[in-house]
Amino acid sequence: MASSLISLAKDETLEGRQKLFAEVSKLVIADLNERSSKELDLFAEVMLMLYGNSDLDDRLHLAQKLAPSAQSPADLVLRIAKDDVKVAMPVLAECKLFTLDDLLDLVAQAGEAHMVVLASRKDLPTEVSDALAQRGGSAVLRALAGNQAAKLSRETMHKLGKLALEDSALCDDLVLRPDLSPAVCQELLPLVNDDIKKRLRNIIEGSFSQEQRDQIARLKVLRKTFGEALNTQDIGSLWREAERSAVTLDELMILLLQDGRFNHAIELLSARGRIALSALKDAVFNGKRDVVLRTAAKAGLEMPAFALLAKSRCANLKLPAAQGAEWTSAYVKHVAEAAKARQSRCDDFQARRREKSA
């Protein structure tokens, strides 16, 4: 190995420099955690000398190996962090060697793509998130809002709140943050629209549960991973795809209703509730509440999804919103009574079995 490296070192062509970079890189990172400080310093010096003539794929491989290691030479890691974002991404996202000053310097020199990656770091201190919020564009701000581990100052929270007026994706991420305190929510209220005000008031009043936050986060992920499948108008095909993707009935109903596809939601409910579509449509549009309640319960629809269905019905039929609340309350009562009846039948059956045994 030593003789081949010496031969490569004598080759001053671009191809020779690239091969030398690749071979030295492989040699050192194979036992990176066992290298002495002197060896690592020499390694970094050689890599930095050859860096400008190295191949992108070799630099990417080096970055991936150095990023998680506490033994990595700091100067070399900093050089990688300023490389093409494809190469820099591993160290920008997870390298623990950067000091606060290093991170601030990187933000000051970075382009938008590099700042987006920095904004995703799990150990992002307030000073760095503030610097990113000041320099970054909408993609950086979305990344900050969505990084629940990042520490955000009150000023950055305010900036995100203002931008949430025109950026629904950023807004969804912002209201899911665990550090969005009631005090911050209160300060954001004058800056946001009515829909966001409702969410913030829920947090202020303590009624926005972790379960609700998790559901919103889950639906946001589904929008990205399952969104393309939603484009189909064939509800049977859509449900089969949902089952393959582990999307529940409630999640699919909510996605359809959020997209304003009220008739498709009814079609899906008729299939899962095993009732003729014409009969269910008649019940929905003509206010035959009991039929709708029984169908939803048979399909196993949870209360949040039913509540959105009832609300959407009122909006589509130009009915008072109070009627949606009444239907939702009736559904909660219907499901509870059905569960109680099932338990009663089960108890009766068990009692009869004990009598026979006796």
Side-chain angles (χ1 to χ4, degrees), residues 30-88:
D31 300 302
L32 184 65
N33 293 329
E34 298 176 12
R35 300 291 176 181
S36 67
S37 298
K38 187 175 181 180
E39 286 177 317
L40 290 172
D41 288 343
L42 180 59
F43 167 62
E45 184 178 347
V46 172
M47 291 292 98
L48 288 169
M49 288 174 58
L50 298 171
Y51 204 89
N53 293 323
S54 58
D55 181 77
L56 185 143
D57 287 339
D58 291 331
R59 300 199 306 274
L60 175 56
H61 180 67
L62 178 64
Q64 291 169 336
K65 294 296 183 180
L66 294 183
S69 176
Q71 288 285 94
S72 299
D75 290 346
L76 179 56
V77 169
L78 277 171
R79 176 65 184 88
I80 293 171
K82 299 171 185 177
D83 202 336
D84 181 278
V85 71
K86 181 180 178 181
V87 175

Side-chain angles (χ1 to χ4, degrees), residues 214-260:
D214 290 344
Q215 183 188 50
I216 293 173
R218 163 72 174 161
L219 290 170
K220 185 177 176 65
V221 171
L222 287 181
R223 284 282 177 200
K224 293 180 181 178
T225 60
F226 189 68
E228 188 173 338
L230 279 172
N231 294 332
T232 182
Q233 303 296 302
D234 183 339
I235 297 303
S237 173
L238 178 59
W239 175 245
R240 289 190 293 275
E241 184 61 34
E243 287 188 305
R244 282 194 291 271
S245 303
V247 177
T248 67
L249 172 64
D250 292 85
E251 290 167 343
L252 187 52
M253 285 286 290
I254 290 172
L255 290 172
L256 288 173
L257 291 168
Q258 286 178 340
D259 287 349

Side-chain angles (χ1 to χ4, degrees), residues 129-148:
S129 62
D130 280 348
L132 286 165
Q134 289 170 9
R135 285 203 68 230
S138 59
V140 175
L141 294 167
R142 285 196 199 104
L144 277 177
N147 182 0
Q148 297 188 8

Side-chain angles (χ1 to χ4, degrees), residues 242-312:
E243 287 188 305
R244 282 194 291 271
S245 303
V247 177
T248 67
L249 172 64
D250 292 85
E251 290 167 343
L252 187 52
M253 285 286 290
I254 290 172
L255 290 172
L256 288 173
L257 291 168
Q258 286 178 340
D259 287 349
R261 296 170 64 178
F262 182 62
N263 286 326
H264 282 152
I266 294 174
E267 185 178 345
L268 175 62
L269 185 59
S270 76
R272 305 316 307 156
R274 297 178 183 176
I275 182 175
L277 179 57
S278 58
L280 183 57
K281 279 189 173 182
D282 175 61
V284 169
F285 289 100
N286 292 309
K288 297 177 181 178
R289 189 176 72 183
D290 289 346
V291 175
V292 179
L293 300 186
R294 287 196 300 272
T295 303
K298 188 173 183 180
L301 207 62
E302 298 289 342
M303 192 277 290
F306 184 88
L308 185 57
L309 175 67
K311 180 181 178 182
S312 299

